[in-house]
C-alpha cells in the first residue's frame, strides 16, 4: 500500500495525485462501484475507516473521510492518500481547518467518482436532517448510527425519524436484520393470532423501539419496549392465544426460540461488527421501503 501526504492542498491537487499514483502503480480506477463519504470526528475516524475499508472488500470504493478540525485556525486542507493492494479501492482522509469546515461539500464534490453512486455515513454525530446537509445532499444513500451518539441513541433516532427522507437509514436498523429474519422464520408454521408483544433491551437501546415499530406494523398489534439488563437487545415476546412465542438471546452468538407445543431450540443470533453492517447497507443503493415504513411508524408513535 502506498500512502502519500499533502499539506495545505486543494481538491484539484488531490485528484492529480490520485491519477499519478494509479499510473505509477498500474492500478486504474475501474472496478470501484461507489464513493463512500465518511463524515467523522477525529476520535471516531480510526474505527470508522477500518469498518469502511473492510466493507469495501465487498464493495470496492473510493472512501473519502472528512474530519472537521479547529474552526478558528486559518483555512487549510490536509490530505492523506492511500492506494495499493491492501486497500480495496482508494482512501483519502481530509482534515479541514478554519472556514473550510463550513464548506466541506466544495472539497468533496471534485473527488467523487464520476457516474457512480454516492453514500454518506456519519458514524457519530450526524445532522438532524441528513438529506438537507451539504454532504448529505450529494448522496443517494445516507447512513447514520444512533448507537454512536453520546445521549444513548433513542433521542437522536427520534430526531432523524421525524426528518426522514427517502434514502436515509440507520445502523440501528441493520443490527435488526438477524432478529427480523429469525422472527419471520418463526411464522413459517402457523402459530395463531398474536395479541400483543414486548421487546426487551438495555435502557436507551435505539434498535428496540425500531423493532417494536416494525412488529407492530407487520402484525397489527400493540408492541411495548421494556428495559432489561442487556447488553443490547435481549428478547422479543409475542403473546398468542395458546401461549407465548419468544426469542431470548442467551449470549453474543445464540438465542433460544420458544413456541407453544414445540420444544425450545437454540438458534444462531450473533452480534455483528460495524463493517458487516456497512457491507449490508452498501448492497442496496435504493430506498429501503421496509425501513421507511418502520421508521415512520416509530416517529408517529414513540412517546419516550
Amino acid at each position: 500500500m502506498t500512502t502519500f501526504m499533502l499539506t495545505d492542498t486543494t481538491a484539484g491537487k488531490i485528484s492529480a495525485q490520485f491519477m499519478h499514483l494509479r499510473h505509477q502503480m498500474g492500478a486504474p480506477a475501474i472496478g470501484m462501484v461507489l464513493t463512500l463519504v465518511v463524515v467523522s470526528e477525529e476520535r471516531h475516524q480510526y474505527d470508522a475507516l477500518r469498518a469502511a475499508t473492510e466493507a469495501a472488500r465487498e464493495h470496492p470504493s473510493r472512501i473519502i473521510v472528512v474530519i472537521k478540525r479547529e474552526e478558528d485556525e486559518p483555512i487549510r486542507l490536509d490530505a492523506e492518500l492511500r492506494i495499493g493492494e491492501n486497500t480495496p479501492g482508494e482512501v483519502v482522509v481530509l482534515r479541514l481547518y478554519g472556514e473550510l469546515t463550513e464548506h466541506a461539500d466544495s472539497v468533496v464534490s471534485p473527488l467523487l467518482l464520476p457516474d457512480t453512486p454516492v453514500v454518506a455515513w456519519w458514524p457519530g454525530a450526524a445532522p438532524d436532517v441528513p438529506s438537507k446537509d451539504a454532504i448529505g445532499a450529494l448522496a443517494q444513500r445516507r447512513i447514520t448510527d444512533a448507537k454512536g451518539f453520546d445521549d444513548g441513541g433513542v433521542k437522536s433516532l427520534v430526531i432523524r425519524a421525524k426528518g426522514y427522507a427517502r434514502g436515509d437509514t440507520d445502523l440501528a436498523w441493520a443490527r435488526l436484520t438477524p432478529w427480523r429474519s429469525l422472527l419471520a422464520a418463526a411464522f413459517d408454521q402457523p402459530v395463531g393470532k398474536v395479541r400483543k408483544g414486548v421487546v426487551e433491551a438495555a435502557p436507551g437501546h435505539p434498535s428496540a423501539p425500531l423493532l417494536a415499530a416494525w412488529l407492530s406494523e407487520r402484525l397489527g398489534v400493540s408492541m411495548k419496549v421494556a428495559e432489561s439488563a442487556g447488553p443490547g437487545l435481549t428478547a422479543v415476546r409475542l403473546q398468542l392465544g395458546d401461549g407465548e412465542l419468544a426469542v431470548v438471546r442467551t449470549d453474543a452468538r445464540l438465542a433460544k426460540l420458544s413456541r407453544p407445543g414445540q420444544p425450545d431450540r437454540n438458534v444462531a443470533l450473533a452480534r455483528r461488527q460495524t463493517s458487516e453492517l456497512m457491507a449490508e447497507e452498501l448492497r442496496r443503493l435504493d430506498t429501503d421501503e421496509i425501513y421507511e415504513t418502520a421508521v415512520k411508524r416509530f416517529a408517529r408513535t414513540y412517546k419516550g
Side-chain angles (χ1 to χ4, degrees):
M1 179 177 69
T2 297
T3 301
F4 197 89
M5 305 296 294
L6 293 172
T7 303
D8 197 8
T9 188
T10 65
K13 291 179 180 178
I14 295 170
S15 294
Q17 189 61 43
F18 263 136
M19 292 182 64
H20 173 73
L21 291 173
R22 285 199 301 267
H23 178 75
Q24 189 178 58
M25 299 181 64
I30 60 173
M32 289 188 285
V33 298
L34 59 90
T35 303
L36 175 61
V37 184
V38 184
V39 185
S40 175
E41 299 173 53
E42 192 72 66
R43 60 180 173 148
H44 295 307
Q45 68 89 12
Y46 177 82
D47 289 337
L49 180 54
R50 183 173 61 180
T53 302
E54 286 297 318
R57 298 191 186 282
E58 183 177 330
H59 312 277
S61 313
R62 173 174 286 182
I63 301 170
I64 303 173
V65 182
V66 179
I67 304 170
K68 299 179 182 180
R69 297 297 301 265
E70 292 77 7
E71 297 181 3
D72 56 353
E73 289 197 11
I75 294 176
R76 190 173 89 245
L77 172 63
D78 295 341
E80 177 183 342
L81 284 64
R82 304 176 190 176
I83 184 172
E85 292 182 359
N86 295 327
T87 302
E90 300 172 340
V91 174
V92 56
V93 180
L94 306 173
R95 289 181 171 86
L96 286 61
Y97 296 82
E99 292 182 14
L100 200 58
T101 58
E102 300 299 318
H103 305 283
D105 56 314
S106 66
V107 179
V108 170
S109 293
L111 300 176
L112 302 177
L113 291 173
D115 303 319
T116 59
V118 178
V119 179
W121 174 35
W122 293 264
D128 289 350
V129 184
S131 63
K132 294 185 178 180
D133 176 78
I135 294 293
L138 299 173
Q140 287 78 49
R141 288 275 281 170
R142 295 165 294 275
I143 304 170
T144 54
D145 188 359
K147 192 177 179 182
F149 283 78
D150 295 333
D151 65 6
V154 175
K155 180 181 177 181
S156 300
L157 188 61
V158 171
I159 292 171
R160 260 158 293 285
K162 292 182 177 178
Y164 171 84
R166 291 177 63 82
D168 290 355
T169 194
D170 194 281
L171 293 187
W173 177 249
R175 290 184 181 94
L176 293 175
T177 299
W179 284 88
R180 294 191 298 117
S181 298
L182 182 55
L183 288 164
F187 282 86
D188 285 345
Q189 299 178 6
V191 295
K193 182 174 175 57
V194 178
R195 295 181 174 180
K196 59 182 179 180
V198 61
V199 176
E200 299 174 5
H205 194 279
S207 293
L210 263 184
L211 181 56
W214 175 73
L215 285 167
S216 183
E217 186 74 23
R218 298 288 290 182
L219 300 174
V221 299
S222 173
M223 293 292 304
K224 295 183 178 180
V225 176
E227 293 184 359
S228 70
L233 280 168
T234 54
V236 174
R237 304 181 190 276
L238 302 176
Q239 188 64 48
L240 309 174
D242 57 349
E244 181 182 77
L245 187 157
V247 177
V248 180
R249 177 174 259 158
T250 54
D251 58 33
R253 298 179 298 107
L254 295 173
K256 181 175 69 176
L257 172 62
S258 304
R259 289 179 289 189
Q262 297 188 31
D264 296 348
R265 63 185 180 94
N266 291 326
V267 291
L269 192 60
R271 301 187 190 281
R272 298 189 297 165
Q273 300 295 321
T274 302
S275 58
E276 296 175 84
L277 304 176
M278 284 299 297
E280 175 184 324
E281 289 300 336
L282 295 179
R283 288 182 197 124
R284 64 176 306 155
L285 297 173
D286 58 338
T287 296
D288 185 340
E289 295 181 350
I290 299 176
Y291 171 72
E292 179 179 9
T293 300
V295 79
K296 286 183 176 180
R297 186 178 185 95
F298 166 72
R300 292 195 308 269
T301 60
Y302 182 72
K303 295 181 172 61

